[in-house]
Amino acid sequence: MTDSAEHLAPHAVERLKGLRSQGSHEGIFTSDLSVNEFVMVRKANFEPLGLVVGSCIYHMGIQYGNWNQNMEMDVLSQAMYQARELAISRMEQESILLQADGIVGVRLEVKRMEWDQDILEFMAIGTAIAHRSGASGFKGVGGKPFTSDLSGQDFWMLLQAGYRPMEMVLGSCVYHVAHQGLLKSMGNIGRNTEMEQFTQAMYDARELAMERMQHEAQEAQADGITGVQLHEGNHNWKPHIIEFFAVGTAVKAMENADALVDGLNPQLVIPVND
């Protein structure tokens, strides 16, 4: 065990001691991979080591939005960023203790605590994996294990195409959507009309989230981002306050990427299920 254990719960460290580490077949592995994902991860010459988890209980600060103004809620945006980063970093620390090359199938969850409306729990969960031959060159930014929300099948296909995951990149923007005045609301009764103020607010907030995600990928010196997802959530805040969240996996081409992708032969698959 390394110094990374200092930042983890004692029971987490004890659990990790019973899991398989890189280059060892002692202990068991745990994972949330499906059977198909497990097979494809092994087909990619990687071995699952253990389920890794990061958690952060975070108290959200107070910020008020102007009733009739579209504006970012900077205090809440910063809180959502920092809490997720804390959860992800603890998940990474667990993977470092297992001497993993990376983490696949990462999912991020946010849950409100019943005892206080201003407290949220942030969780990062994924499966730590290591190359079966011990080959180097698959680590992510700064020599840390890479993080990815790609499925086992997508991870295999990414490597087949000559790319490797670098890290999961995020963009968040908590935004106050301005209320509409009474006269304007009454004037829209019975009419088909665009709500331009609302459209602009949603547009601006999404663009801020995606811009921040792209900035993280640039910081990671990635070539691009795959599997981007856009989420919206209120998290039981006051009406007209919404978080726009963008997440994806930053990837980088390997030396033989062009030859590998040219050698791929797509096949037509017809599902037989109804």
Side-chain angles (χ1 to χ4, degrees):
M1 294 295 169
T2 69
D3 292 340
S4 297
E6 295 178 1
H7 304 287
L8 300 177
H11 287 297
V13 176
E14 288 301 314
R15 175 180 63 85
L16 294 170
K17 287 180 180 179
L19 296 179
R20 187 174 298 176
S21 61
Q22 186 181 44
S24 171
H25 291 284
E26 298 179 359
I28 64 169
F29 72 84
T30 57
S31 88
D32 58 354
L33 301 174
S34 67
V35 173
N36 287 339
E37 288 182 290
F38 170 70
V39 171
M40 296 310 294
V41 166
R42 284 185 53 85
K43 185 71 174 175
N45 284 323
F46 282 79
E47 192 80 33
L49 303 177
L51 192 70
V52 286
V53 181
S55 178
C56 173
I57 308 293
Y58 205 93
H59 181 272
M60 312 298 290
I62 297 176
Q63 185 176 7
Y64 299 100
N66 293 333
W67 194 86
N68 62 345
Q69 180 182 353
N70 289 335
M71 58 179 289
E72 181 176 7
M73 309 292 280
D74 297 323
V75 172
L76 296 180
S77 290
Q78 183 180 12
M80 299 298 285
Y81 248 119
Q82 186 172 10
R84 284 193 179 97
E85 289 296 332
L86 285 170
I88 292 172
S89 68
R90 288 163 187 164
M91 177 187 67
E92 290 175 340
Q93 288 167 18
E94 290 198 358
S95 70
I96 290 172
L97 293 183
L98 296 175
Q99 302 175 41
D101 290 316
I103 311 169
V104 295
V106 175
R107 65 182 190 271
L108 301 175
E109 300 179 355
V110 182
K111 181 176 66 175
R112 181 171 294 279
M113 295 291 96
E114 296 293 337
W115 63 79
D116 192 321
Q117 64 178 0
D118 294 322
I119 294 179
L120 298 176
E121 180 184 21
F122 296 78
M123 291 187 64
I125 308 168
T127 297
I129 62 174
H131 199 274
R132 294 167 68 183
S133 69
S136 59
F138 291 99
K139 292 288 179 68
V141 179
K144 297 188 301 182
F146 68 78
T147 53
S148 166
D149 60 352
L150 298 177
S151 67
Q153 293 93 326
D154 286 342
F155 174 66
W156 175 82
M157 181 58 71
L158 183 72
L159 294 179
Q160 292 295 110
Y163 284 77
R164 64 185 181 92
M166 297 292 290
E167 71 174 12
M168 197 161 68
V169 288
L170 319 173
S172 177
C173 174
V174 181
Y175 207 86
H176 176 265
V177 181
H179 294 71
Q180 193 170 44
L182 179 60
L183 293 178
K184 182 67 173 177
S185 298
M186 293 181 64
N188 291 336
I189 295 176
R191 298 175 55 206
N192 290 333
T193 180
E194 181 181 8
M195 312 291 283
E196 293 182 1
Q197 189 175 22
F198 294 168
T199 298
Q200 190 62 50
M202 305 290 270
Y203 222 130
D204 289 344
R206 285 194 189 95
E207 290 298 324
L208 283 170
M210 289 190 288
E211 180 183 356
R212 289 163 183 170
M213 176 188 65
Q214 289 173 201
H215 178 72
E216 287 199 356
Q218 291 169 346
E219 289 289 310
Q221 298 183 340
D223 292 324
I225 310 171
T226 62
V228 174
Q229 299 179 55
L230 297 174
H231 303 279
E232 298 174 16
N234 175 263
H235 307 298
N236 290 329
W237 291 320
K238 293 181 180 180
H240 285 251
I241 298 178
I242 307 174
E243 183 197 24
F244 295 82
F245 180 58
V247 59
T249 296
V251 300
K252 192 172 186 65
M254 296 185 283
E255 291 183 1
N256 55 346
D258 289 340
L260 287 173
V261 74
D262 290 342
L264 292 177
N265 295 310
Q267 297 180 347
L268 176 64
V269 178
I270 301 176
V272 296
N273 297 328
D274 293 334

